[in-house]
Amino acid sequence: MKLTVVHLEGSKQGQTEHLPGPVIAVGRDPASNQLSFDPFKDLDVSTNHASITFQGDQVMLQDLGSRNGTFLNGAKVNGAVPLPNDSVVQFGDKGPKVKLTYIFHAGPGKKTQMIQDLSDKLAGAEEEKKKSKSRNVLVATCLFFLLVFGGLGVFLYSSSAKKKALKAEVAALRTDELPRARAKAEAMGAAGEATAKADFEAALAAALAAEAAEKDEAWDQAKAQLALAVKKFDAAAEAATLAQLTALRSQATAAGKMAEDAAKKREEDQKKAEEALKKAKEEEERRLAELIRRLSDAAKIKENLRALEGSTNPDELKGAVEALQKALAENPDDPALQEQLQKFQAQLTRAENVGEDLTKAASEAKAKVVGIRARVFAIPAGQRVDTTKIRIPVAEAHGTGFFASASGHIVTAKEVVEPQNFEPAALALATKLREKGMQVLTDLEVMTATAGIYTTTYTGAKVTVVRRFNDSVGAEAPVTIPFDNAQVEVKVRPHRRDESDVVILKIDGLTDQPYLPLGQGEPAAGLPLVVLGTQQGGDGLEATQVGLFLFQGKVATAGKRMELDAPSFRSWIGGPVIDANGKVVGLLVAEGTDKSKALAPSVFKAELD
């Protein structure tokens, strides 16, 4: 029984194989299939896809529950069906295609033919001797035959026993040791690891050589090649494990250094913010004193105060009131001064209440502002997060977002969700890991607050990205990072913080969710506002707790990309900027110790309508 396989399509196109019966297994696993396909290229073929069985005078084709199905001459196979000779079989509707030809009897073997020829010749000789020799010679000839065939039988029996034992050893190596060693090497990523790749490829070559030797029934050679393949797979797994442990130690050291630098930068930014606020207060006091001095001239007071009509700056208005009161003390009978004093006192009352309104609006927004944590990591390609033990950290970010619709939509900055694209070193590391054949993934956590402390967390499949604005990348620049025990230079193009720096998330299952309404248009310069953001630790919080914090300020420069006279911190990125009416007038995209930057809601409002 012999099956001839001509590969018409697939990774083996143009090749021909001859496989013995009675059972031929088909699939991507070379260890358990006689007709095997490339496990990395022929992905439509299942690990154990189908079988071909010689049964009596009939050959059967059976699909073994494959993912993509088996097709005989274009028709899908269900269960076991007869296989006509010279049939075309396709494994998967887009998988490799082969032509199958078989024979049941291949004629006598060489040894059988030799014995038959010898028997025929001896029979002829015996006949001649019967005619020419006596009975004694005939007896001697028979004894000779008995000795010849007896020795030949002993030789064949001994050779068959040795062959059977070797065949059993080869079968044990192929079905037990070889799959174990190969699975271990692949689990450790040896095929893509530079230090292990040579051993892994040598193991594959030895396994193929063993397969060829088995077809030729060269069992000694097959055993030696299989033992070599097992040894090389084990060596590749060990080398890959050592390399990954070394890389993980290097990454852990780099991550620790990055965390230390980030903590130091936060402390420096906090100090700068406090100094900036102190300086701003001193400057306002100086300006107020100058304003009072300038308005002390009652003769020019009406002209000077006209410029302050409509102002929302409490300090300026307070100076105007004090100047008018001083002028009225010198001119008590001036009705125009009295009218102006009443007008500016009412204006000052409204301006002073803006701060209270902002504080109230910020308090009411607590339940609608969320904390977001993104952890970016890499695992070997083809593996799953829930099964692999290899997890290389790439980047991590803690940011802020806010509910912008009743159905659970959250608006935040893209930098919060994809920190690796904005940090040159992290982008370089992700690039090198992808080149190495690894996949870069992100875990997202969304935290909501109760009484100002963030305790409820949504993660996994519950959090999805439903709208991601187009990327805006900067100029290419070289970055040097530690990678595979060496310093390597990688050219990257980090993303820019501009109008495209927006992502909209969705928490499944949330309905009737309180949300922050969006303001209309672009806010004008001078508008009082409050910036909200989440951060770990702080006033009244433990070091591991996350709370909501705020700074008041105003719009310094109007437009789609606004500049704010208000400080903020790194973890506030993605947070809302709201006015005294509680409406969102901006999305924070860049922090600063005295000024911050935000996008007007007109940039992303249409995506939520």
Side-chain angles (χ1 to χ4, degrees):
M1 297 173 287
K2 184 171 70 174
L3 179 71
T4 299
V5 183
V6 179
H7 291 270
L8 304 176
E9 296 178 3
S11 64
K12 291 185 174 181
Q13 183 176 3
Q15 298 182 26
T16 300
E17 298 183 66
H18 302 284
L19 304 174
V23 180
I24 299 167
V26 183
R28 286 205 343 264
D29 182 6
S32 59
N33 295 285
Q34 289 74 39
L35 178 53
S36 62
F37 293 87
D38 193 301
F40 301 104
K41 298 179 180 179
D42 299 315
L43 298 180
D44 279 72
V45 183
S46 297
T47 303
N48 295 291
H49 194 106
S51 68
I52 301 168
T53 307
F54 287 79
Q55 298 180 359
D57 59 351
Q58 191 175 39
V59 180
M60 303 297 291
L61 171 66
Q62 182 175 4
D63 183 87
L64 300 178
S66 64
R67 183 176 67 255
N68 298 312
T70 303
F71 298 84
L72 173 60
N73 294 325
K76 188 172 183 179
V77 172
N78 293 313
V81 299
L83 175 67
N85 215 340
D86 292 330
S87 294
V88 175
V89 177
Q90 187 171 18
F91 301 103
D93 56 351
K94 296 180 181 180
K97 186 180 293 184
V98 299
K99 180 178 181 181
L100 302 179
T101 306
Y102 54 83
I103 57 174
F104 285 94
H105 304 289
K110 292 182 179 179
K111 292 182 179 179
T112 304
Q113 187 64 49
M114 179 185 70
I115 294 172
Q116 183 64 46
D117 293 341
L118 179 59
S119 179
D120 291 341
K121 290 180 181 180
L122 290 176
E126 182 181 359
E127 189 67 29
E128 286 297 323
K129 289 178 181 179
K130 284 182 180 179
K131 296 179 181 179
S132 60
K133 294 185 178 181
S134 64
R135 184 177 299 275
N136 290 336
V137 176
L138 178 60
V139 170
T141 302
C142 291
L143 289 175
F144 173 75
F145 285 147
L146 288 174
L147 289 173
V148 169
F149 284 107
L152 182 60
V154 170
F155 170 76
L156 291 176
Y157 177 80
S158 175
S159 176
S160 175
K162 181 180 179 182
K163 177 180 177 182
K164 186 176 181 181
L166 280 171
K167 189 174 181 180
E169 292 182 43
V170 168
L173 283 169
R174 179 168 290 285
T175 58
D176 297 330
E177 289 299 309
L178 186 64
R180 174 200 61 76
R182 179 169 184 170
K184 181 179 178 182
E186 289 177 342
M188 300 313 299
E193 173 59 51
T195 57
K197 190 173 182 180
D199 282 331
F200 190 86
E201 292 178 349
L204 291 176
L208 290 175
E211 185 178 350
E214 288 179 62
K215 291 178 182 178
D216 294 337
E217 298 187 354
W219 303 110
D220 283 327
Q221 184 180 352
K223 177 183 175 182
Q225 290 296 332
L226 285 173
L228 176 61
V230 170
K231 180 180 178 181
K232 290 294 184 181
F233 275 134
D234 285 337
E238 184 177 350
T241 301
L242 180 60
Q244 288 166 6
L245 287 175
T246 302
L248 285 173
R249 282 196 293 269
S250 176
Q251 296 303 324
T253 300
K257 181 66 167 56
M258 290 174 64
E260 182 181 344
D261 292 344
K264 188 179 295 184
K265 188 177 185 302
R266 283 197 300 270
E267 183 177 349
E268 293 175 354
D269 288 346
Q270 178 77 28
K271 188 177 296 185
K272 289 180 180 179
E274 293 173 356
E275 292 175 354
L277 287 174
K278 181 180 178 181
K279 184 178 179 180
K281 184 177 180 181
E282 292 174 350
E283 176 64 19
E284 288 298 325
E285 290 176 351
R286 185 195 65 77
R287 289 171 58 192
L288 177 60
E290 173 64 19
L291 181 62
I292 294 174
R293 184 196 64 76
R294 182 163 50 86
L295 296 178
S296 60
D297 186 358
K300 297 182 179 179
I301 194 168
K302 295 179 182 179
E303 180 182 351
N304 292 334
L305 289 180
R306 190 175 297 114
L308 293 179
E309 292 181 0
S311 173
T312 59
N313 188 316
D315 291 335
E316 290 182 343
L317 295 173
K318 189 181 297 182
V321 169
E322 291 180 5
L324 283 167
Q325 288 173 340
K326 182 178 179 181
L328 275 171
E330 298 174 357
N331 303 279
D333 297 327
D334 189 336
L337 288 176
Q338 292 176 351
E339 182 181 353
Q340 279 193 314
L341 177 59
Q342 293 175 353
K343 179 179 178 181
F344 275 96
Q345 283 177 330
Q347 193 172 336
L348 174 60
T349 300
R350 289 195 301 272
E352 288 177 335
N353 288 334
V354 168
E356 297 177 2
D357 291 342
L358 287 173
T359 302
K360 181 181 178 182
S363 178
E364 293 176 349
K366 286 183 178 180
K368 306 162 189 175
V369 179
V370 302
I372 302 173
R373 180 178 285 113
R375 293 185 177 93
V376 185
F377 59 95
I379 65 173
Q383 297 191 23
R384 301 199 316 265
V385 175
D386 58 343
T387 58
T388 184
K389 294 182 179 179
I390 301 173
R391 192 182 179 105
I392 300 176
V394 176
E396 182 172 341
H398 182 143
T400 306
F402 59 92
F403 284 106
S405 76
S407 57
H409 288 98
I410 295 171
V411 176
T412 187
K414 190 187 299 181
E415 184 175 359
V416 175
V417 178
E418 303 174 2
Q420 77 280 11
N421 290 331
F422 291 81
E423 301 172 10
L427 183 56
L429 176 58
T431 301
K432 293 301 293 181
L433 289 171
R434 287 193 182 97
E435 289 177 358
K436 198 174 180 180
M438 303 192 78
Q439 50 183 326
V440 178
L441 307 174
T442 303
D443 274 342
L444 288 179
E445 295 181 8
V446 175
M447 298 167 283
T448 57
T450 302
I453 304 298
Y454 288 79
T455 56
T456 305
T457 301
Y458 300 92
T459 186
K462 278 188 168 294
V463 182
T464 56
V465 177
V466 296
R467 176 68 168 90
R468 178 183 179 280
F469 282 38
N470 294 331
D471 292 332
S472 177
V473 296
E476 186 177 75
V479 179
T480 301
I481 60 170
F483 191 79
D484 276 351
N485 302 318
Q487 294 291 324
V488 297
E489 183 180 278
V490 186
K491 292 184 178 180
V492 297
R493 298 183 64 189
H495 289 200
R496 296 182 297 198
R497 300 181 179 96
D498 56 18
E499 288 83 354
S500 69
D501 191 11
V502 179
V503 167
I504 300 177
L505 306 178
K506 176 73 168 61
I507 296 181
D508 295 334
L510 288 187
T511 57
D512 299 326
Q513 179 66 29
Y515 63 95
L516 292 174
L518 303 182
Q520 298 292 331
E522 299 170 4
L527 176 71
L529 52 83
V530 61
V531 181
L532 295 100
T534 61
Q535 66 185 54
Q536 188 168 306
D539 295 340
L541 298 180
E542 297 180 4
T544 58
Q545 289 181 315
V546 175
L548 183 65
F549 296 84
L550 59 92
F551 275 123
Q552 290 189 15
K554 62 183 179 181
V555 176
T557 304
K560 288 186 177 181
R561 184 173 172 83
M562 304 177 294
E563 189 171 84
L564 312 177
D565 281 333
S568 59
F569 299 101
R570 185 69 172 173
S571 62
W572 295 22
I573 296 297
V577 180
I578 61 178
D579 62 13
N581 296 318
K583 291 187 176 182
V584 175
V585 296
L587 170 69
L588 191 68
V589 293
E591 80 284 6
T593 56
D594 55 352
K595 292 184 181 293
S596 305
K597 293 182 180 180
L599 297 179
S602 59
V603 173
F604 53 86
K605 185 176 185 299
E607 299 298 328
L608 296 166
D609 291 340

